[in-house]
Amino acid sequence: LTEVLENTTDYVSIFDAELNLIWRNPAAAAVFGPAPAAVAEVLAQAPRATRMTMTRSILPDLHSSGSWRGELELRRTDGALTPLEATILVHDSAGGDRFFSMMGRDITDRKRLESRLEARARHDQLTGLPNRLFLSERLETMLGVQRRLALLFIDLDQFKAVNDSQGHDAGDRLLVTASERLRNALRPSDVVARFGGDEFVILLPDIDSVDAAVPLAERVLDHLRGPVQIGPMPLYLTGSAGIALSGDVDATTLISNADAAMYKAKGEGRDRVAVFTDELRARSLQRLETAHLLRSALENQELDVWFQPIVATSTGRPIGVEALVRWRHEELGSIPTYHLIEVAEETGLIHALGTAVLSTTCATIAALGDDARGLTFSVNLSAHQLADPLLIEALDDALTRHRVDPQQLFCEVTESAVMVDVADSARVLDQIRALGVGIAIDDFGTGYSSLAYLQRFAVDVLKIDREFVTGLTLASDWKRSLAGAVISLGHSLGLRVVAEGVEDREQAEILRILGCNGMQGYLFSEAVPASDLPAVLSRLRQVRPELD
């Protein structure tokens, strides 16, 4: 045994009952020196952390269980500290004498690796900046010792367009350039982190007023702003920034406040600074409350789907129906549909909401029976739904479960929704068409009206926005010309054209003259509950061609 201990590369030490160090093997002696006379000398060589470990952990464990395992640091003869993975055991000799053995293994390499992994876990690999985890920990610490700081939340403008048009390599180069510019804009005490994607967060210590925070934020955006040479054409880099001041809020809330202010800056035109205010706080609280209530409403099937007819321009008789989700809460009142969709998208409830509308619409088609014959029923899809990998499965399930002919169902998507990711949208629309479901482009003329893009999509119908119908009179030549051009564009693509927002007979007559295929609006019917739909359809089927 002695020969083994003397030749092992592990560090072995023996202590007597009074903890005097009486022996070290050659490996330990070569690193830490020959055995001192007493344990006091060993402890004197050790750093303070090791001495505290001895008092608080090692001795109590030895007394209670006869062993201790853990990590220690001991000082080498050259003064450097060596981390050890150590085991200390209590022994009783045959003669009743007690002694202790310690075996230690040098874990310097492991500690270095752990340190590198720890650094990587808290830093972004692309930009080298601290990451979200680092930011959260630093912010928690700073809020614990001071309340005077500001948080700046920055989102790069039009970043997704760069990724989509020039590829992810170009996007990465843009992110690296942005991170370098942000570093150069900081004071020594500031901390910038890449929060995720194209979002950056900057901690600004010792800032306790908007007047102090705004100039710093504007300076940061000034440094960020400017051309970046990526590919043959330079890109102009800008960012939108939101400011939130610390106070009686935790780190999560402070980040959320700055994020809300950033979205306000985006909404006001981008490339600017916005400050989190009490108004934004109230709006954020309202959205949180709405999100909670929406989740409950979906679980309890409290949302309603109403239906608005679409009529043929030539006859005024119904050819289709659009499904529109409605939510009236007993406390919040009627929730606007656009607000409902926004909250559903922000909270990840859009799939559940879309599936509920799909299921209700197909159930309504089945329940109408003969009243639904010859009609198409349209449901609206948002950009988030187009990106949902479960969308096609949900469509197929709703059609199969309610035994609905796929040709009776249409999906309406806005121009802006399909333009979020043109290639992916084209792929998803093809999958929808493969089910036998029709496609309509909604709000046409308000987004990226482009023949080149429209021809890539599997589309059956163009629905021109109400903006082209509002103010449409026999006396408004330019309005008639504009509406006529949009209708002609749709026909040139081989598509049927439906006009939304038709409210009077003069508008209907002009649309008939211009060759519009269908119309939808209050002139014919507002949206009604499913229970009222048969009566509305019956009334519309009785009208004469002149729409009397």
Side-chain angles (χ1 to χ4, degrees):
L1 178 60
T2 302
E3 183 178 353
V4 171
L5 294 178
E6 287 183 344
N7 287 282
T8 182
T9 56
D10 289 340
Y11 308 137
V12 182
S13 302
I14 305 295
F15 302 86
D16 65 16
E18 285 73 39
L19 292 178
N20 295 312
L21 183 58
I22 57 177
W23 182 80
R24 268 180 175 162
N25 74 340
V31 175
F32 303 108
V39 72
E41 297 180 45
V42 178
L43 292 178
Q45 295 176 356
R48 182 172 181 270
T50 296
R51 295 198 299 272
M52 294 179 66
T53 301
M54 176 70 76
T55 303
R56 296 179 180 178
S57 176
I58 297 177
L59 293 178
D61 281 2
L62 290 177
H63 287 305
S64 63
S65 64
S67 66
W68 177 89
R69 287 179 175 83
E71 293 181 6
L72 294 172
E73 278 190 330
L74 293 181
R75 196 174 304 280
R76 305 164 61 101
T77 54
D78 60 7
L81 294 177
T82 296
L84 300 179
E85 184 178 66
T87 300
I88 301 177
L89 301 175
V90 178
H91 305 275
D92 290 313
S93 68
D97 295 327
R98 171 161 290 193
F99 64 97
F100 303 89
S101 67
M102 182 178 78
M103 179 174 289
R105 177 167 298 171
D106 189 337
I107 55 172
T108 300
D109 290 341
R110 191 180 83 187
K111 284 296 184 180
R112 286 173 181 163
L113 177 60
E114 289 176 355
S115 179
R116 288 197 296 270
L117 293 175
E118 181 77 8
R120 290 187 63 180
R122 284 168 169 74
H123 286 78
D124 175 54
Q125 298 306 298
L126 175 65
T127 64
L129 293 178
N131 63 11
R132 186 172 187 161
L133 175 61
F134 182 102
L135 172 81
S136 298
E137 292 176 345
R138 176 64 63 88
L139 183 55
E140 291 278 6
T141 300
M142 293 177 70
L143 288 176
V145 297
Q146 66 163 303
R147 289 292 174 183
R148 297 175 61 249
L149 63 87
L151 196 71
L152 186 62
F153 199 113
I154 300 172
D155 184 88
L156 303 185
D157 296 329
Q158 305 293 356
F159 177 75
K160 191 177 189 311
V162 175
N163 264 346
D164 291 344
S165 63
Q166 302 199 36
H168 290 283
D169 287 344
D172 286 350
R173 290 170 60 188
L174 199 65
L175 288 169
V176 171
T177 300
S179 67
E180 292 171 351
R181 292 180 179 180
L182 291 175
R183 278 194 189 101
N184 293 334
L186 300 184
R187 303 172 303 166
S189 60
D190 300 336
V191 178
V192 59
R194 183 183 175 197
F195 197 69
D198 60 333
E199 297 173 334
F200 298 85
V201 173
I202 300 177
L203 296 179
L204 303 171
D206 302 318
I207 299 294
D208 58 1
S209 71
V210 171
D211 290 341
V214 169
L216 286 175
E218 290 178 341
R219 187 184 73 178
V220 168
L221 291 191
D222 283 342
H223 276 75
L224 184 63
R225 194 179 291 121
V228 182
Q229 190 67 43
I230 297 177
M233 294 181 59
L235 303 173
Y236 197 81
L237 179 60
T238 64
S240 301
I243 296 173
L245 300 178
S246 62
D248 296 327
V249 296
D250 58 19
T252 300
T253 303
L254 185 59
I255 293 172
S256 177
N257 291 349
D259 186 33
M262 181 274 292
Y263 274 105
K264 180 184 178 185
K266 288 276 189 187
E268 292 177 347
R270 300 188 176 92
D271 190 21
R272 65 192 62 210
V273 176
V275 178
F276 186 78
T277 61
D278 289 339
E279 179 185 354
L280 274 179
R281 179 180 288 106
R283 192 182 305 171
S284 297
L285 289 174
Q286 182 185 27
R287 293 177 87 83
L288 286 174
E289 181 184 12
T290 303
H292 172 72
L293 295 174
L294 174 58
R295 191 179 300 276
S296 176
L298 285 168
E299 291 173 353
N300 298 319
Q301 299 181 340
E302 295 172 355
L303 298 180
D304 296 319
V305 179
W306 288 25
F307 299 90
Q308 186 174 35
I310 302 168
V311 304
T313 306
S314 58
T315 66
R317 293 190 173 94
I319 56 174
V321 177
E322 180 180 358
L324 301 165
V325 64
R326 293 287 187 268
W327 183 24
R328 183 171 182 81
H329 191 268
E330 59 183 11
E331 296 177 4
L332 300 180
S334 181
I335 311 297
T337 301
Y338 76 88
H339 183 56
L340 170 61
I341 300 301
E342 285 180 355
V343 172
E345 290 180 339
E346 289 176 0
T347 56
L349 294 173
I350 190 65
H351 175 74
L353 176 61
T355 300
V357 173
L358 266 174
S359 181
T360 301
T361 301
C362 288
T364 300
I365 297 172
L368 285 171
D370 289 343
D371 277 337
R373 187 171 299 164
L375 301 178
T376 59
F377 286 72
S378 301
V379 295
N380 292 277
L381 299 181
S382 71
H384 281 68
Q385 288 174 279
L386 281 180
D388 185 354
L390 299 177
L391 172 63
I392 304 303
E393 180 182 340
L395 274 168
D396 191 35
D397 177 71
L399 291 166
T400 302
R401 186 154 37 91
H402 297 287
R403 299 181 180 179
V404 170
D405 181 353
Q407 294 185 354
Q408 281 194 277
L409 190 65
F410 262 69
C411 289
E412 292 191 11
V413 292
T414 64
E415 282 185 277
S416 56
V418 295
M419 290 300 296
V420 169
D421 188 327
V422 173
D424 197 53
S425 295
R427 178 184 59 80
V428 174
L429 294 183
D430 284 341
Q431 291 177 336
I432 293 174
R433 283 291 299 273
L435 291 176
V437 176
I439 304 292
I441 295 292
D442 197 11
D443 297 340
F444 181 73
T446 62
Y448 303 83
S449 303
S450 167
L451 282 172
Y453 282 123
L454 286 175
Q455 288 173 333
R456 293 184 60 180
F457 301 132
V459 178
D460 303 283
V461 173
L462 288 187
K463 297 188 74 174
I464 60 176
D465 189 72
R466 65 181 64 246
E467 289 184 10
F468 293 90
V469 177
T470 302
L472 187 61
T473 65
L474 292 172
S476 59
D477 292 339
W478 73 273
K479 269 281 188 178
R480 287 204 318 277
S481 298
L482 186 59
V486 175
I487 292 170
S488 296
L489 173 63
H491 289 162
S492 72
L493 295 172
L495 307 176
R496 301 192 303 278
V497 181
V498 173
E500 297 180 298
V502 181
E503 297 183 353
D504 60 51
R505 296 187 182 281
E506 186 176 14
Q507 292 171 347
E509 176 60 18
I510 294 171
L511 290 168
R512 184 186 66 79
I513 295 171
L514 293 175
C516 190
N517 303 99
M519 298 182 290
Q520 179 179 352
Y522 287 169
L523 176 62
F524 313 104
S525 174
E526 61 183 356
V528 298
S531 58
D532 295 344
L533 187 56
V536 172
L537 293 174
S538 177
R539 173 178 61 79
L540 291 173
R541 284 170 172 146
Q542 296 172 17
V543 302
R544 295 192 297 275
E546 59 270 23
L547 305 179
D548 286 341

